[in-house]
Amino acid sequence: MTQETLTEVRGDLVLAALCVGQFRAPCQIDAERLLVRADEALGQALHALGLELSVVVESFTPAPLFAPDEVLLDQAARSLARRQVQTHVFRPHDEEPPEEEAVLEDLPGQQG
């Protein structure tokens, strides 16, 4: 295998993996570290999370992606086309009876 310049990530590997996944970067998962082909943006994001980064030169065997990029991009495009914005306004007074009913219930001698 050929040697590559990679970024070694140590620290909270779950946090690191989530960050790498957001960037959709190839990643080799080892017990004590992750190896990634980090561009500057990914490196800055990993560093901002407090992870230890170092440059290494070694062979790279990234974990397989679960779907080809074409499939993921097609799904994302269809999802964006269908996306709708929904809003909900919470109004606690909707649960209270209208004022007229509240007044009638409070009158003495009033029978239902």
Side-chain angles (χ1 to χ4, degrees):
M1 296 193 119
T2 62
Q3 302 286 307
E4 296 185 46
T5 301
L6 304 164
T7 301
E8 179 183 74
V9 183
R10 292 186 180 269
D12 184 343
L13 297 184
V14 172
L15 183 62
L18 289 170
C19 182
V20 170
Q22 289 295 315
F23 281 82
R24 298 219 359 99
C27 177
Q28 179 177 326
I29 303 167
D30 294 339
E32 303 278 327
R33 68 183 184 163
L34 299 181
L35 290 176
V36 295
R37 288 184 190 128
D39 59 15
E40 187 164 338
L42 176 55
Q44 288 176 354
L46 292 166
H47 179 71
L49 292 171
L51 300 164
E52 300 170 34
L53 306 178
S54 58
V55 177
V56 296
V57 178
E58 48 186 273
S59 60
F60 185 53
T61 309
L65 294 175
F66 296 103
D69 287 339
E70 301 81 34
V71 171
L72 295 173
L73 291 173
D74 182 54
Q75 289 174 349
R78 280 191 263 137
S79 167
L80 289 174
R82 289 186 298 221
R83 187 169 293 170
Q84 297 176 356
V85 175
Q86 297 180 358
T87 59
H88 174 75
V89 178
F90 177 72
R91 296 182 185 164
H93 61 274
D94 286 348
E95 297 177 15
E96 298 173 5
E99 287 184 29
E100 305 113 63
E101 289 179 22
V103 171
L104 292 176
E105 292 174 4
D106 292 339
L107 293 176
Q110 188 85 12
Q111 295 182 351

